[in-house]
Amino acid sequence: MSVQTRVLADGRWTARTLDIHQILARNRQEPSVMPNLSTGPVPPTLGLFTKTIVGSPIIRAIIPARVRHRSKNDVIFVYEDAIVIKEVLGGERIEEDPFASISLDNADVKKDFGSPIQAARIMGQPRKPKIPRFPGRFWDGEYKPQSPLETKPEPFQDNEVPPQILVLSLASRILVFLFAYYDLQDVVHFVSNTWPLPAQIPLSEELGVHMAVDPYSRAMAVAAYENRISIYALKGMERLRSELQGPKGLDTANFMPIQEEAHTEVDGFILKMEFLHPSKGDEHHVILLLVVSKEQKTRLVRIEWDCRSSLAEIDQKPGQLLPHPELLPLLLIPLTYGTAFALVCEDRIVVYKNVLTGMATGQTCALEHYEPPEEPGSSKRLPIWTQWARPMRPADRRQPNIDNIYLCREDGVVRYIDIREDSSPMIRSNYNAGILNANVGNAFATLDLGEESNDLLIAAGEMGDGGMWYFQPREPLGLVGTIRNWTPLRDLTTTRLALPSRSSATNETATTSSTGRLFACSGRGPRNGAVIEIRVGTEAVRLGPTVDIEELAEKGIDKIWALPDQSNIGIYLMLSHPTATELILLPSANDQDPQVSSDMEELDLDVKTIAAGSTAEGSIIQVTPTSINAIAQEHGILPFTSKLNNATITAACFMTIPMKTTVLLSVVQEEDGFYLHHGHFGCQNDRIAFAELGEPVLLRSEASVVSVHWVNDRIIAFMGTVAGTVQCYTAEPGSSFVPYAEHSFEDEFAVCDSLAMITTEKNSDAEADHLLVCGLRNGTVRTLFFDGNDLDDRLSLCEKIEVGATSVQVLTDATRSSRVILECEQRLYTLEYVQHPSTPASRQRLWGCFTQASTKVPQGYSKFGAGSLFYLSGSNLLLADLSPSPGAEMVPRRLALTGTPTRITHSERLNKLIVLYTRMIVNNVSPAGSRRDRLPPRISKPALAFIDPDAGDLRPESDGIDSLDVLGAAEVKAGERFLGVMEWFPTDGNRQYHMLVINTIIKQTASEGATGRLLLLVPGVREDGQVFANLKKSVDRDAPVWCVAPYGDSSLIYACGNQLVLQTLNMAARGRFGPEITATLHSPATYISADDKVIYVSTKGSGHHILRVDDGELVLVCAAASGQSEIHHLILSEYSMVMTSDRDGRVAGLWQPPEPQLSRTAPLVLEATLPSSIRRFCKLARPVWQRKFAHLEPQAIIGSTENGGLYQLTVLSEPAWRLLAFIQNMAMREARICPYPHPLIQEKPIEPSTTKKQNMHVDGDILIRLLERGDASLLEEMLRKEPNPDFRPSDYASAHDRAERFKELVADFIHDQVDDPIHTTLELIRSLLLPAI
């Protein structure tokens, strides 16, 4: 007799069948002592705060549409859970560079959908060509029609409904209808409404993955992968506009395009779905065509009805079978004439017509691979056709019954196809249009540049960058711009960089603080494979070529100024070093070298320059310690020179006030002290003149910097002093300065070295706010609110910002009045107040510039980019333009490889990135008689490379890339693939050794089982600085070695098949491994780590295991209760917790008890479900200025996803979690923060609960929207909002009770009562949202 029972095995309860005699024998062996059932230590209550640093760059679709205004030539980028709307600009055409004026202007972002986007389409009026702006007819500032078909652009109107509407299908089972409009202040507002999809359909069927819209927007259809279809009758745009027009503008509450819905089914899998164009004379006929597959047969199924009748009249026609070569079509293309359509298959395109009159007839045209695969080694099969696009044609160029189609292949090959209804064959032309040099998926489209321009192709890259290409007949495609894509991110590592730091308010010796840099494996194949440095901030886009000024740079340039050249040859650059000044002319033509200017002898170039500038008339002014010089660039105007006797100018600045008068402000050191002078430049009797204004002002302290501004019709002078103050003086035009205000800095070395003014607009009716930004010598920035009207509080401190350890230079940003540029320790940052000055400033790292000196380009120099930056990097002079993006963005730096990188780690000892990558070696020599549609043979070769993290950009075509691989062919076996690499430092007690350990899998044929190896290599450095690695030992195993980790002083713990193996390397015995200690796992391990003799194992199908070595055996301490397919984990010893990630997007925190427990199930402390699975965790040291927050750990947790996203995770204490979860649960009920709630998910109670560990997750992306869409006022409104009677069980009885509970939670977090709990809470949220990257 046998029974089935559950037993605890390896920490998991499993069902087993046992004989009754076995049970009795076990009972006799076990002592009859009751076990200790005490619970022991209790797991802590912790929360998890997540924030998206960078979203996935994967673009699912590119849709040209006008959804903001009829004058906006928009293109919509549909991401996984967001949309970005940009405008296609094509302005003045430059003959030497015809593509220079084509660009995508940063527009509007919407990312509050709360669910992945499954499909996107456009409804509304048909697309029409734009009024031509490229190649350009506005050269003289006036629009000139060149044909009777052209009309003058219509005036821009506010509160206008655009001609098209975007329709989105979300995974949360709702349809979103969306458009945008501009108000009277030219601010864009999104308008949307939702329609729920049928709730009774199971989520597994994914209703909404297919979507189609009728060509005339009379109907739309939404379908699942199988069987289910929902059909909707739509309102016309004229009716929508009339419903939206209210007495005071747009009445957005009436926005709903759907007027009727119906549901039907088809039998089989739905492969494709599109609406066909009705035939001429049959305009009311609506035809929905579906390609349906079942039991290895594919049919064409039609659903038809008359748009004037109800959807109850829809009629489904029986399907027509497709021939075998067309069983799985790649694309369904509805043609614009009749009811014709085209099916694109792997090797052919078939055009069908007469689909309504019986059996549809098709004409076939071969799509042979005239162009061989661009990357034949990247796949085992030939590339397929992935997307099509129809170019825009004006009415006078569009011929009836003719369709022009672009077909794009996944390797970037584009074909142009001309289809004609009345010809035989119907496909008249089919030729190669060019190669995009990108891997392309579904995101491919053509953009409109005007009626007489050529086509602009745009494509988003798959596993690599995309771009825009200008198509001209019989010319190669011209690359216009790049669309970045850094996916997939397979591995992540961090480096350490030691920087000097100040001691805090003491005279202690300065220590070093460690910050980090992130590097990742990115891309696939020889074209896109690369190591990237992950950088987040604002990009400085380089303009033009680099200018080498090595001879001048060797003199130690500390300041540069850009000055106008009225001859229009170029631009003058004045470079000052400690003993002299250089003036060079930089020509605007790229092929001309810079010239040292010698025609301005009146300038004093034998001494250093303190300040330089220009007047409104273009005269150049130079201020030196002993003179003031001004020279006109017009002939016949005499210069001005003023020499100082027994006095020295220590600081100076310029400003041109609205009367076009240039004011000079200077601080002069005389025998009896420092004086503030000011005067203005003018022209009298063909001579530059300078006139002093008022009397000099005696200063109380030496000035370190001066700055002059025009505020409220007055001249305002700010002056930093060596006494640690900022003084403000004011003067009416023509009068002397008088003291106005003063502010003192209390810190040590708080001397102001630079000043700049920020101006922010509250709204259209309010006066501007003025902020003075002070760069101090101690590495901090202070922002002071300047009020020209308040006599009691004229200079008040807004914010103190730590930047570095040395002096901070502040530079105004000519492109944005609310932003300045900070320079510290050869790094640049942007500082911007996007809201009211009471909210903290937004600071972004400025990537692309590493500078010793910088200056702005003066206005009026479009070839150089007005407001751009000239900056000096080493001996190179470069010009850069700041990215117009309003927020932080990914600015990756690529180190290209010739293969696909898979693993990366950083060696501090070698100061190198150690990279594993796979190269595909292709035999391009085809044997005689071989077919064109067959791929050449290829060989996969694993490679190991050492890369300098500070190296410049590597390119696949550059010399020496192939030599990156340091392993010879004899050291790699056939069919071997490298799975991981790590550094190892074993010791014999006296000496520490440096090794690299590589774990591999070997599979030579499909029929043979896989084996593996451990490779032990010894790295070294040659005399030329090149790193090499010699293979010292190879350990062959009979199963793949999935992962490996160091254990103790000289041991390795690794996973071999389903075995966990621990071995010790005996260095005294010639490096031999000792006996194995093994343990059996239920599934292969995916990642192993060890900490303090404890081993942590993530497995492929049995969750997480924690083990330790006890009496020579591997003993299970505890394991996760659920058998998830884990990817990675991170040990958080400060919380006695390990953080794990799995393939379902789940992040879990498992608590490790301090002593063995009766139950070997690891307690689950917290859990979160993210949109994408985290593939790698790492810890990154926070910047110094973030470490002042006591609730933030010195190191931030960074998680990377394979689809390119980056998350920042923070473990919360219980009081912090309760407070933030309370706010989050309120915010999820607020439509302004979460406008698209999931219809099948119930609202969470506002009071946080620990009953479900998923409740321990706080989504920082929701709290970001709280700050952006109302900040303190919105939070106060949510607290005061009376509870909804329908949801009172999950809310409080009254708004008063809710507000009182909020105050209690704030007091618990602070451990004290606070006067302003809302301000305290928002400060907590802002600190948690600070990115560590």
Side-chain angles (χ1 to χ4, degrees):
M1 177 182 176
S2 61
V3 295
Q4 190 176 35
T5 183
R6 296 182 62 84
V7 298
L8 185 67
D10 294 333
R12 296 173 57 84
W13 290 100
T14 58
R16 290 185 181 178
T17 301
L18 299 177
D19 186 87
I20 187 63
H21 300 290
Q22 293 176 318
I23 300 175
L24 294 175
R26 178 176 296 180
N27 291 337
R28 285 194 297 268
Q29 294 173 1
E30 295 177 353
S32 57
V33 177
M34 292 297 294
N36 183 10
L37 299 178
S38 62
T39 58
V42 178
T45 300
L46 299 173
L48 182 65
F49 185 91
T50 64
K51 171 191 181 298
T52 303
I53 301 176
V54 175
S56 171
I58 296 176
I59 299 175
R60 294 186 178 273
I62 298 177
I63 306 176
R66 288 177 169 85
V67 295
R68 294 185 300 169
H69 195 272
R70 53 192 163 88
S71 66
K72 294 288 186 180
N73 188 22
D74 287 338
V75 56
I76 303 172
F77 295 89
V78 181
Y79 290 83
E80 293 186 343
D81 57 358
I83 62 169
V84 176
I85 307 176
K86 297 188 178 184
E87 184 179 7
V88 185
L89 300 179
E92 177 183 357
R93 182 165 184 170
I94 304 172
E95 293 299 330
E96 59 269 21
D97 189 359
F99 316 129
S101 61
I102 303 175
S103 64
L104 291 178
D105 188 29
N106 277 280
D108 300 295
V109 180
K110 188 171 179 61
K111 52 183 179 180
D112 56 359
F113 298 106
S115 178
I117 299 173
Q118 296 187 123
R121 286 296 177 102
I122 288 294
M123 61 163 287
Q125 298 173 355
R127 245 178 104 202
K128 295 180 180 180
K130 65 187 285 291
I131 297 295
R133 291 171 59 186
F134 181 84
R137 295 186 183 149
F138 296 92
W139 291 347
D140 57 356
E142 182 181 356
Y143 176 76
K144 295 181 178 180
Q146 293 188 356
S147 85
L149 297 174
E150 298 178 14
T151 58
K152 190 172 182 179
E154 299 180 27
F156 191 93
Q157 297 181 5
D158 301 313
N159 297 336
E160 181 179 338
V161 179
Q164 293 171 325
I165 293 172
L166 177 65
V167 188
L168 301 174
S169 167
L170 303 185
S172 57
R173 200 64 72 81
I174 59 175
L175 296 176
V176 177
F177 297 88
L178 175 73
F179 73 91
Y181 72 94
Y182 287 86
D183 61 15
L184 297 176
Q185 285 77 42
D186 200 27
V187 176
V188 68
H189 298 271
F190 284 102
V191 177
S192 66
N193 205 346
T194 61
W195 187 276
L197 292 172
Q200 66 272 18
I201 298 177
L203 287 173
S204 58
E205 295 191 13
E206 297 191 45
L207 180 63
V209 293
H210 295 294
M211 184 189 296
V213 176
D214 175 68
Y216 302 107
S217 296
R218 300 167 297 180
M220 63 175 289
V222 174
Y225 281 121
E226 185 179 6
N227 301 336
R228 314 279 187 169
I229 303 174
S230 296
I231 299 175
Y232 302 91
L234 302 178
K235 303 173 184 177
M237 289 302 296
E238 293 301 324
R239 177 179 171 183
L240 279 176
R241 286 195 179 95
S242 63
E243 292 177 352
L244 283 167
Q245 293 300 328
K248 297 182 180 180
L250 293 181
D251 186 4
T252 57
N254 292 328
F255 174 56
M256 174 43 66
I258 292 178
Q259 63 178 358
E260 186 183 3
E261 69 175 323
H263 308 285
T264 185
E265 293 186 2
V266 294
D267 187 16
F269 290 94
I270 302 173
L271 303 180
K272 304 292 176 184
M273 181 178 70
E274 292 288 352
F275 282 91
L276 301 182
H277 287 73
S279 301
K280 188 175 182 180
D282 192 20
E283 287 79 8
H284 299 294
H285 199 174
V286 182
I287 309 159
L288 178 64
L289 180 68
L290 300 100
V291 182
V292 181
S293 175
K294 184 179 181 182
E295 297 178 351
Q296 299 184 354
K297 295 180 180 180
T298 303
R299 297 177 179 270
L300 297 175
V301 178
R302 302 194 319 272
I303 299 177
E304 307 174 18
W305 71 96
D306 191 310
C307 67
R308 296 168 294 185
S309 61
S310 169
L311 289 181
E313 305 295 328
I314 60 175
D315 183 19
Q316 183 177 144
K317 302 295 183 180
Q320 171 183 332
L321 285 174
L322 291 175
H324 186 270
E326 303 164 26
L327 288 181
L328 297 173
L330 301 172
L331 301 171
L332 169 60
I333 306 174
L335 303 181
T336 56
Y337 50 80
T339 56
F341 61 92
L343 292 178
V344 178
C345 305
E346 290 192 22
D347 59 352
R348 68 189 62 197
I349 177 171
V350 186
V351 180
Y352 283 90
K353 61 179 182 179
N354 302 325
V355 69
L356 300 181
T357 58
M359 294 292 291
T361 58
Q363 293 188 15
T364 302
C365 177
L367 286 176
E368 299 180 4
H369 284 78
Y370 299 102
E371 290 292 332
E374 284 296 294
E375 294 182 336
S378 296
S379 176
K380 295 180 180 180
R381 59 172 178 78
L382 290 168
I384 62 174
W385 305 99
T386 57
Q387 190 55 284
W388 66 278
R390 179 177 286 118
M392 182 60 57
R393 296 287 183 261
D396 60 334
R397 293 174 55 192
R398 186 172 60 248
Q399 302 181 31
N401 300 337
I402 293 180
D403 248 321
N404 306 118
I405 299 294
Y406 284 104
L407 274 184
C408 186
R409 208 168 67 181
E410 62 181 337
D411 61 344
V413 173
V414 178
R415 298 197 68 81
Y416 185 81
I417 299 177
D418 190 328
I419 305 176
R420 307 192 179 198
E421 181 188 22
D422 53 358
S423 66
S424 182
M426 297 176 66
I427 299 179
R428 294 295 303 272
S429 60
N430 174 14
Y431 64 88
N432 179 34
I435 301 173
L436 301 183
N437 292 321
N439 296 335
V440 183
N442 292 328
F444 172 76
T446 62
L447 303 182
D448 178 25
L449 288 174
E451 295 183 353
E452 295 190 3
S453 68
N454 294 304
D455 297 327
L456 182 66
L457 307 181
I458 184 170
E462 292 271 324
M463 295 182 289
D465 291 343
M468 294 189 299
W469 293 264
Y470 191 65
F471 174 73
Q472 302 178 92
R474 295 172 294 279
E475 295 288 341
L477 292 176
L479 180 63
V480 176
T482 299
I483 301 174
R484 287 198 178 110
N485 184 353
W486 49 88
T487 59
L489 291 182
R490 293 185 180 88
D491 200 7
L492 190 70
T493 191
T494 179
T495 68
R496 300 292 182 184
L497 178 65
L499 291 176
S501 66
R502 311 180 300 279
S503 55
S504 57
T506 66
N507 293 325
E508 299 175 3
T509 303
T511 60
T512 60
S513 61
S514 179
T515 184
R517 298 161 64 186
L518 283 177
F519 289 86
C521 296
S522 171
R524 182 174 181 268
R527 182 162 58 190
N528 296 315
V531 170
I532 65 166
E533 181 178 4
I534 295 175
R535 309 181 303 183
V536 178
T538 301
E539 182 179 13
V541 183
R542 293 184 183 178
L543 306 175
T546 300
V547 180
D548 189 0
I549 55 170
E550 182 176 0
E551 295 183 2
L552 299 178
E554 290 177 350
K555 300 178 181 179
I557 297 173
D558 53 10
K559 288 184 179 180
I560 58 177
W561 295 270
L563 305 171
D565 170 30
Q566 291 191 331
S567 64
N568 290 325
I569 296 176
I571 196 168
Y572 283 107
L573 290 179
M574 185 174 289
L575 301 90
S576 175
H577 50 85
T579 59
T581 300
E582 304 286 348
L583 185 67
I584 63 174
L585 177 63
L586 186 65
S588 57
N590 294 338
D591 56 350
Q592 298 182 18
D593 296 329
Q595 308 167 12
V596 177
S597 179
S598 58
D599 56 350
M600 296 190 180
E601 300 178 354
E602 293 80 1
L603 299 179
D604 190 356
L605 303 180
D606 295 329
V607 296
K608 74 173 183 179
T609 298
I610 293 177
S614 61
T615 66
E617 295 79 15
S619 300
I620 294 178
I621 307 171
Q622 178 202 23
V623 179
T624 73
T626 57
S627 65
I628 301 174
N629 310 294
I631 181 172
Q633 299 188 57
E634 297 181 11
H635 294 290
I637 299 180
L638 299 178
F640 168 81
T641 298
S642 174
K643 300 289 185 181
L644 275 69
N645 297 320
N646 301 323
T648 303
I649 299 176
T650 60
C653 62
F654 304 94
M655 180 197 64
T656 299
I657 60 178
M659 289 83 76
K660 293 188 176 181
T661 300
T662 300
V663 176
L664 168 64
L665 186 70
S666 60
V667 176
V668 181
Q669 181 181 8
E670 301 180 12
E671 294 181 354
D672 56 343
F674 293 88
Y675 287 86
L676 179 64
H677 295 252
H678 83 291
H680 68 87
F681 287 91
C683 185
Q684 296 179 357
N685 301 325
D686 296 332
R687 177 187 294 272
I688 297 177
F690 177 75
E692 289 271 1
L693 298 175
E695 295 294 327
V697 179
L698 179 63
L699 305 177
R700 299 192 302 271
S701 178
E702 178 183 354
S704 55
V705 65
V706 290
S707 178
V708 60
H709 304 273
W710 180 259
V711 179
N712 296 337
D713 298 327
R714 289 182 297 174
I715 300 176
I716 304 293
F718 295 101
M719 181 176 61
T721 71
V722 296
T725 64
V726 168
Q727 299 175 4
C728 176
Y729 295 82
T730 181
E732 301 293 337
S735 62
S736 300
F737 276 110
V738 294
Y740 185 71
E742 184 175 7
H743 182 85
S744 298
F745 305 116
E746 303 299 334
D747 297 347
E748 190 176 8
F749 303 113
V751 176
C752 183
D753 282 337
S754 59
L755 294 165
M757 180 75 79
I758 279 181
T759 303
T760 63
E761 295 286 348
K762 295 179 182 177
N763 54 56
S764 59
D765 300 324
E767 295 183 356
D769 288 321
H770 302 285
L771 290 174
L772 185 66
V773 184
C774 309
L776 304 189
R777 197 168 294 176
N778 61 5
T780 64
V781 167
R782 311 294 172 87
T783 57
L784 306 177
F785 179 73
F786 172 71
D787 191 343
N789 301 316
D790 190 349
L791 299 180
D792 297 324
D793 195 14
R794 294 167 174 172
L795 279 178
S796 56
L797 179 65
C798 286
E799 194 173 2
K800 175 184 176 181
I801 304 169
E802 297 189 39
V803 181
T806 59
S807 180
V808 181
Q809 298 297 315
V810 184
L811 187 68
T812 59
D813 184 356
T815 63
R816 195 174 300 175
S817 62
S818 60
R819 184 171 70 178
V820 294
I821 300 168
L822 308 179
E823 179 185 345
C824 181
E825 298 168 356
Q826 299 187 14
R827 297 182 180 183
L828 294 180
Y829 305 85
T830 61
L831 187 74
E832 182 174 13
Y833 281 88
V834 294
Q835 298 180 12
H836 190 269
S838 60
T839 61
S842 169
R843 180 172 67 172
Q844 307 292 344
R845 178 76 182 273
L846 184 57
W847 294 105
C849 300
F850 299 91
T851 173
Q852 293 86 41
S854 58
T855 186
K856 300 191 307 297
V857 175
Q859 296 292 332
Y861 286 79
S862 59
K863 290 185 177 181
F864 290 97
S868 302
L869 280 176
F870 272 110
Y871 65 97
L872 184 64
S873 179
S875 62
N876 296 322
L877 188 65
L878 305 102
L879 178 65
D881 192 13
L882 301 190
S883 168
S885 177
E889 59 183 358
M890 181 78 155
V891 190
R893 183 172 72 95
R894 289 175 56 88
L895 304 172
L897 298 170
T898 55
T900 302
T902 55
R903 290 292 181 267
I904 185 171
T905 188
H906 178 254
S907 171
E908 293 188 20
R909 178 170 294 190
L910 300 173
N911 191 25
K912 297 289 183 182
L913 296 169
I914 305 173
V915 183
L916 298 183
Y917 65 103
T918 302
R919 296 176 57 199
M920 288 296 176
I921 302 173
V922 181
N923 182 11
N924 290 317
V925 179
S926 302
S930 62
R931 295 172 52 183
R932 178 178 293 177
D933 60 350
R934 294 287 178 87
L935 286 172
R938 65 175 193 164
I939 300 174
S940 173
K941 182 182 183 302
L944 168 68
F946 297 94
I947 298 178
D948 183 357
D950 298 316
D953 290 356
L954 303 177
R955 299 296 175 191
E957 64 272 16
S958 64
D959 296 334
I961 291 294
D962 290 340
S963 63
L964 286 176
D965 186 9
V966 299
L967 295 180
E971 297 168 329
V972 179
K973 292 186 177 182
E976 188 167 28
R977 184 160 54 93
F978 293 167
L979 299 179
V981 62
M982 73 166 195
E983 274 192 302
W984 189 29
F985 299 95
T987 178
D988 58 6
N990 298 319
R991 179 185 173 188
Q992 188 183 71
Y993 299 87
H994 183 200
M995 291 185 180
L996 299 181
V997 182
I998 298 177
N999 53 294
T1000 77
I1001 181 176
I1002 304 172
K1003 192 170 185 180
Q1004 298 184 1
T1005 62
S1007 59
E1008 295 181 357
T1011 61
R1013 290 198 298 169
L1014 278 177
L1015 303 179
L1016 274 64
L1017 300 95
V1018 177
V1021 182
R1022 297 190 181 96
E1023 293 182 356
D1024 60 357
Q1026 295 296 318
V1027 179
F1028 64 90
N1030 294 327
L1031 180 61
K1032 289 299 183 182
K1033 190 175 185 61
S1034 173
V1035 181
D1036 296 330
R1037 304 294 305 188
D1038 57 0
V1041 181
W1042 300 112
C1043 46
V1044 62
Y1047 179 83
D1049 293 333
S1050 302
S1051 300
L1052 290 177
I1053 180 78
Y1054 58 92
C1056 180
N1058 282 14
Q1059 292 285 322
L1060 198 61
V1061 182
L1062 176 64
Q1063 281 187 289
T1064 301
L1065 185 66
N1066 190 344
M1067 303 303 296
R1070 297 183 179 181
R1072 295 179 180 176
F1073 278 106
E1076 299 178 1
I1077 302 176
T1078 63
T1080 301
L1081 303 173
H1082 292 284
S1083 60
T1086 57
Y1087 185 71
I1088 300 175
S1089 63
D1091 180 48
D1092 192 24
K1093 303 298 184 180
V1094 180
I1095 301 168
Y1096 302 84
V1097 184
S1098 292
T1099 65
K1100 194 173 183 179
S1102 54
H1104 191 84
H1105 295 68
I1106 302 176
L1107 307 95
R1108 69 168 63 243
V1109 179
D1110 190 6
D1111 293 334
E1113 294 183 355
L1114 287 171
V1115 179
L1116 179 68
V1117 176
C1118 57
S1122 59
Q1124 301 291 334
S1125 178
E1126 291 194 351
I1127 304 175
H1128 201 244
H1129 65 255
L1130 180 68
I1131 303 171
L1132 302 176
S1133 55
E1134 60 271 30
Y1135 300 105
S1136 299
M1137 186 172 67
V1138 58
M1139 185 176 291
T1140 66
S1141 66
D1142 63 30
R1143 298 189 182 278
D1144 295 327
R1146 178 175 173 266
V1147 174
L1150 302 176
W1151 185 59
Q1152 179 186 344
E1155 57 189 38
Q1157 302 292 302
L1158 178 63
S1159 171
R1160 293 194 177 183
T1161 300
L1164 181 64
V1165 177
L1166 54 87
E1167 186 177 5
T1169 300
L1170 302 179
S1172 302
S1173 299
I1174 289 184
R1175 190 175 181 88
R1176 285 292 181 268
F1177 290 109
C1178 74
K1179 284 188 175 182
L1180 184 69
R1182 290 184 179 273
V1184 178
W1185 58 276
Q1186 291 185 12
R1187 302 179 193 176
K1188 63 182 180 181
F1189 300 104
H1191 54 272
L1192 295 182
E1193 294 290 339
Q1195 291 183 321
I1197 303 172
I1198 306 296
S1200 66
T1201 64
E1202 192 165 12
N1203 65 0
L1206 289 175
Y1207 289 93
Q1208 183 168 299
L1209 302 94
T1210 305
V1211 178
L1212 301 173
S1213 64
E1214 181 177 359
W1217 164 75
R1218 289 192 178 276
L1219 174 60
L1220 295 176
F1222 180 90
I1223 298 172
Q1224 174 189 248
N1225 296 341
M1226 282 196 303
M1228 294 177 68
R1229 301 164 181 251
E1230 174 57 51
R1232 284 169 288 182
I1233 300 176
C1234 297
Y1236 311 106
H1238 199 299
L1240 302 181
I1241 297 180
Q1242 295 182 348
E1243 289 184 335
K1244 291 183 179 180
I1246 293 180
E1247 179 65 30
S1249 171
T1250 60
T1251 54
K1252 294 183 179 180
K1253 296 306 176 183
Q1254 295 92 335
N1255 295 340
M1256 312 309 293
H1257 176 214
V1258 177
D1259 189 350
D1261 296 339
I1262 294 177
L1263 300 185
I1264 288 176
R1265 298 199 291 270
L1266 167 65
L1267 300 181
E1268 294 175 342
R1269 302 178 183 182
D1271 203 51
S1273 60
L1274 182 54
L1275 177 56
E1276 185 175 4
E1277 183 180 338
M1278 291 192 302
L1279 290 170
R1280 293 182 176 180
K1281 185 177 181 180
E1282 289 297 331
N1284 188 338
D1286 297 335
F1287 300 103
R1288 184 159 290 177
S1290 62
D1291 201 346
Y1292 291 88
S1294 66
H1296 177 268
D1297 293 345
R1298 190 192 309 121
E1300 289 300 314
R1301 177 56 178 158
F1302 169 71
K1303 294 178 182 179
E1304 293 175 3
L1305 293 173
V1306 176
D1308 291 342
F1309 171 70
I1310 300 296
H1311 303 294
D1312 196 359
Q1313 296 294 328
V1314 293
D1315 297 331
D1316 191 349
I1318 290 181
H1319 175 76
T1320 302
T1321 303
L1322 295 179
E1323 286 296 313
L1324 169 64
I1325 295 174
R1326 292 191 185 99
S1327 65
L1328 290 169
L1329 293 174
L1330 292 173
I1333 302 178

